Amino acid sequence: MTAPAPFGPLEFQLVLLRRMADHQPELVEEARQELSASLADMREANRRWQAMVRAPRGRGTLRRYRSVLGEPERSVRRKVGDLECDVLFWPVPLWPGLRFEVMAAPGGAVWNEWLVRAPDAAGPELLTVEDLRPWSCTVDEVARAFAPARPMEGSAPTRWALAITDPGSGRPYVAEFTWGLFQRLLSG
């Protein structure tokens, strides 16, 4: 019996892309080709990831990320309310200006996991909703640019939404994100 191929950063990027394919199939297709991965490779990576997530004796979430992505590029302590947590960052070759961020409570329970802007990378200038382009910005960047943005429940795990108002027209919108990366804008 042949041992399964290792599950590493390439496969993890395919997992991120699989969920994004629901909203941005053309961008996912381009990214998949850039990674030299087939549709079958993406489905298999997602199947293996889901098996790891659901395994009854599987690694905890933080240990799973470390086993798949290696040691983080950077880690910091951050205070959230009265609690301090560890925030770990991994590079994502498909999006060099972003990092995959995992926030973990004391003891290793993961609170949040998504893409954020790398500290040395400039984000886009977001003045109106016309500036929102798929895969161009993160939840945090949109929340700051369109304050006060109102967080909303996403349509599935790994999805987030923000209710925002276009400063130019005053019209309401919902910005949708997958793994923290902007996907699409809906009329509010």
Side-chain angles (χ1 to χ4, degrees):
M1 186 168 169
T2 307
F7 195 101
L10 169 64
E11 291 77 14
F12 181 70
Q13 290 175 103
L14 293 173
V15 169
L16 299 179
L17 289 173
R18 172 57 197 96
R19 182 60 82 179
M20 292 179 191
D22 296 338
H23 297 308
Q24 294 298 329
E26 297 85 15
L27 289 176
V28 168
E29 178 63 22
E30 290 172 23
R32 198 173 48 71
Q33 289 178 14
E34 186 179 324
L35 295 173
S36 299
S38 69
L39 195 54
D41 293 335
M42 188 167 71
R43 281 193 295 262
E44 177 62 11
N46 192 61
R47 184 196 67 74
R48 289 180 63 197
W49 178 259
Q50 293 303 320
M52 283 189 275
V53 168
R54 293 186 174 99
R57 291 192 190 104
R59 299 177 181 107
T61 307
L62 187 54
R63 288 186 57 210
R64 182 173 49 251
Y65 283 121
R66 285 180 183 274
S67 74
V68 168
L69 300 173
E71 283 304 306
E73 173 183 84
R74 178 172 75 101
S75 64
V76 297
R77 302 275 300 165
R78 187 180 295 163
K79 196 164 183 150
V80 179
D82 291 337
L83 196 58
E84 276 197 29
C85 62
D86 292 314
V87 186
L88 300 94
F89 301 89
W90 285 272
V92 185
L94 193 53
W95 294 286
L98 301 176
R99 295 297 180 264
F100 191 74
E101 175 189 86
V102 174
M103 291 180 68
V110 171
W111 288 346
N112 198 28
E113 49 209 324
W114 61 7
L115 294 162
V116 298
R117 185 72 49 200
D120 57 346
E125 186 174 28
L126 303 174
L127 302 175
T128 70
V129 294
E130 285 80 27
D131 297 325
L132 296 173
R133 302 275 183 254
W135 294 15
S136 69
C137 48
T138 65
V139 171
D140 188 50
E141 291 167 334
V142 173
R144 280 194 316 266
F146 296 94
R150 184 174 48 86
M152 303 171 68
E153 191 169 324
S155 59
T158 73
R159 291 201 178 142
W160 293 265
L162 291 175
I164 62 172
T165 302
D166 181 33
S169 68
R171 292 184 55 202
Y173 290 91
V174 174
E176 291 189 330
F177 303 82
T178 302
W179 290 106
L181 193 58
F182 177 71
Q183 301 295 313
R184 66 182 182 171
L185 188 68
L186 305 172
S187 292

